[in-house]
Amino acid sequence: MSVSPTQAKALERIRADVRAMSAYHVQPSQGLLKMDTMENPFRLPLALQKALGERLGALEINRYPGERLEVLKQMLSDYAGAPEGSAVLLGNGSDEIITLLALATAQPTANGRAKMIAPMPGFVMYPLSAQLQGLDFVAVQLTEDFDLDVPAMLAAIAEHQPAVTYIAYPNNPTATLWDEDKVQAVIDAVGEVGGLVVMDEAYQPFASRSWIQQMKAHPERNGHVLLMRTLSKFGLAGARLGYLIGPEAIVNELDKVRPPYNISVLNCETAIFALEHAELYADQAAAIRAERQPLIDALQALDGVDKVWPSEANMVLVRVRDAGKAQAEMKARGVLVKNVSAMHPLLANCLRLTVGTAEENAQMLAAMKESL
């Protein structure tokens, strides 16, 4: 792309590290089976589509969002079973909440800039938010089997005294749900240095447990823990609604950096409608969970698959002999999957596959068998 001399000068006003970045790329998916972004495969039944459309059509979209946001916060608090004394912060997806957390905690320290710690490989938004908001990101490598390396985490926490530590529960892209005692050891260590722990439960509908139980059972031990979730995997990826639950004193401070009208009336009402029909979405999550192990078993039986990891999410991580070739061949056969090899050395030749319906999984497996 050519730029004029005046554009070149103007571009110099944009941070050099931003100019060196690549924008997030979404694969074109028209006419393809989309198994690369862990979306809920189920659409609303026609009757509920009509009901939601009528409700959204009746909204006063000429007005700024108002009291319905408080209704949504209470519904989310009740749905999650929030501990007593909790508050809820809403975000335009959990991505915005991650940005707000970095923005609120980015400040000079005795050792330079504030630090953010997370196990890696993990969610790419953690290091990106640190970079953009001015924190130093410290990656702590998982073990070769993607388990939490507790001694390494404790050492990093003691050395860097992070402002924010992320624990994805379960983790993306490995779909791992780490042992409670290992996670609690990390939380305790962060508490000793005076930091925040964010339990990122984006994939909670598909996991066997949630940290909310520990927060309620041991409130003092988890008093610096914030629980972050999204309705994307719940079934509303297009609505962009994330939420953070934590002690009121902490959440109220974080809320000060939130844009005042970050959640539209359309997103808000869609989320309220979905929570009014939570049983439907629970049934959808159960159907996806029921398909997960059969998919893993079928993948393990494929010639050319080197390893398949257990999953507590709506995704499966699989290692093949040539992930780049397999991804391209599957796309040629009409199926999109995610090649995560470049994300981290531990993910060499790994593909991340969405768990879909039985029909979608069968189509994906057929394409993969032919591609390997």
Side-chain angles (χ1 to χ4, degrees), residues 69-80 88 275:
L69 291 173
E70 297 305 316
V71 173
L72 175 57
K73 286 182 184 180
Q74 187 59 55
M75 292 181 73
L76 288 168
S77 179
D78 294 341
Y79 170 76
V88 177
L275 290 168

Side-chain angles (χ1 to χ4, degrees), residues 329-342:
E329 293 282 348
M330 292 181 72
K331 184 176 181 180
R333 289 167 172 80
V335 180
L336 282 181
V337 297
K338 182 77 170 179
N339 179 4
V340 296
S341 301

Side-chain angles (χ1 to χ4, degrees), residues 4 25 37 68 86 92 118 121 128 136-138 156-157 159 195 202 204 240 256 269 281 305 328-329 347 369 372:
S4 68
H25 175 66
T37 50
R68 293 293 278 174
S86 296
N92 194 278
L128 181 60
D136 290 331
F137 183 76
V138 179
I157 291 165
E159 177 182 356
Q204 178 274 327
R240 309 305 302 131
K256 294 176 182 178
E269 202 63 37
Y281 290 94
V305 169
E329 293 282 348
L347 296 171
K369 182 177 181 179
L372 295 177

